[in-house]
Amino acid sequence: MRVNSFLVIALMLVAFSMKAQEIVRPIEDRLRNNYMDYPNSYYKDTNNKLQNLVGSWVYDNGADYFKITFYKEKVIENEHYNVFGDKLFAKFLYKKDGRIIYDNYGTSSYSRDQGLVNTKPSEIQSSFVKNTTISFIYTEPSTNDCHRRKVGSLHITYSGNNPQKLSWKRKTATRYFHDMLCDNGLRPDNSDFVIPEDMVLTKLQ
């Protein structure tokens, strides 16, 4: 009887180990896979599509100055099905005619110096990868202590030329606007995005 008990426990441990074993899959597969059919997965940047963007990039046309730094992290995407994935996150600085509009480098707090500098953390993070284009969930810091109502999609295409370039194209979504009041009673910030929607950025060495 005791032997049978040990056997059952051993089988349960093996089954649990197999269930929890992480299967590495290329991040490109994330477009067509779902959590239920592919549990215990890690969608890894095996082909360095995200890695190509890691680092700092700049756009400067005299009136608009935009600097963004991407960094890559492994994050949990679905805890129930034990699914992880590599994602890009961003910090950025945006100046308009020499005036700082956004600056969330080195801080995660919400503050504005004399009403000019907005350091609320960004929501720019990678979503899907297809060929040399990476799609991002996009929004910008709000101008008040409530969330920004508008959301958008950002598509970045990498060019490995020397110097390395990024084609940046952003669209504002026509749906999925967050219209609920915040807990502090304020209405969402309904202003338009201010970072240019179409840019070519150069990598800083």
Side-chain angles (χ1 to χ4, degrees):
M1 193 73 173
R2 182 176 296 178
V3 173
N4 288 339
S5 298
F6 283 141
L7 182 60
V8 170
I9 293 173
L11 289 173
M12 289 176 63
L13 288 173
V14 170
F16 178 79
S17 176
M18 290 177 64
K19 181 180 179 181
Q21 186 177 7
E22 189 176 82
I23 301 171
V24 175
R25 305 180 190 277
I27 197 170
E28 292 87 346
D29 288 355
R30 185 64 191 84
L31 273 170
R32 56 179 177 268
N33 292 357
N34 59 60
Y35 300 133
M36 185 180 300
D37 294 336
Y38 296 91
N40 307 314
S41 294
Y42 169 27
Y43 290 94
K44 189 174 182 179
D45 185 29
T46 55
N47 296 314
N48 290 324
K49 298 294 180 68
L50 300 183
Q51 188 63 38
N52 286 335
L53 271 64
V54 171
S56 297
W57 306 78
V58 69
Y59 170 80
D60 188 356
N61 68 357
D64 298 289
Y65 176 86
F66 180 66
K67 177 185 175 183
I68 189 166
T69 300
F70 292 109
Y71 56 97
K72 184 171 69 174
E73 289 186 3
K74 177 183 177 180
V75 298
I76 182 78
E77 292 193 10
N78 188 287
E79 189 171 357
H80 180 74
Y81 290 106
N82 194 42
V83 175
F84 292 81
D86 285 338
K87 282 186 179 294
L88 286 178
F89 297 89
K91 290 183 178 294
F92 52 80
L93 167 68
Y94 175 58
K95 297 180 184 179
K96 181 70 175 179
D97 296 323
R99 184 170 70 98
I100 295 177
I101 307 299
Y102 299 139
D103 184 1
N104 64 12
Y105 278 95
T107 181
S108 59
S109 62
Y110 184 93
S111 62
R112 295 187 298 277
D113 297 338
Q114 300 177 346
L116 299 180
V117 180
N118 190 327
T119 59
K120 193 172 183 180
S122 75
E123 292 291 335
I124 299 178
Q125 66 180 52
S126 60
S127 180
F128 296 117
V129 177
K130 186 175 182 181
N131 299 324
T132 57
T133 299
I134 300 172
S135 298
F136 289 76
I137 301 168
Y138 184 92
T139 187
E140 293 177 14
S142 60
T143 60
N144 61 15
D145 288 324
C146 190
H147 54 252
R148 181 180 284 275
R149 183 170 180 260
K150 296 180 185 294
V151 295
S153 61
L154 171 66
H155 302 283
I156 291 181
T157 304
Y158 169 79
S159 171
N161 296 328
N162 190 14
Q164 298 176 69
K165 301 280 188 179
L166 294 182
S167 171
W168 168 296
K169 296 184 183 296
R170 185 252 306 153
K171 291 184 178 180
T172 302
T174 56
R175 296 179 295 172
Y176 308 116
F177 288 170
H178 305 293
D179 217 10
M180 295 178 61
L181 294 178
C182 286
D183 292 339
N184 56 14
L186 291 177
R187 290 193 172 278
D189 171 13
N190 198 37
S191 61
D192 292 328
F193 294 137
V194 296
I195 294 174
E197 62 183 359
D198 195 336
M199 299 183 285
V200 175
L201 292 85
T202 304
K203 190 166 191 179
L204 295 178
Q205 302 301 320

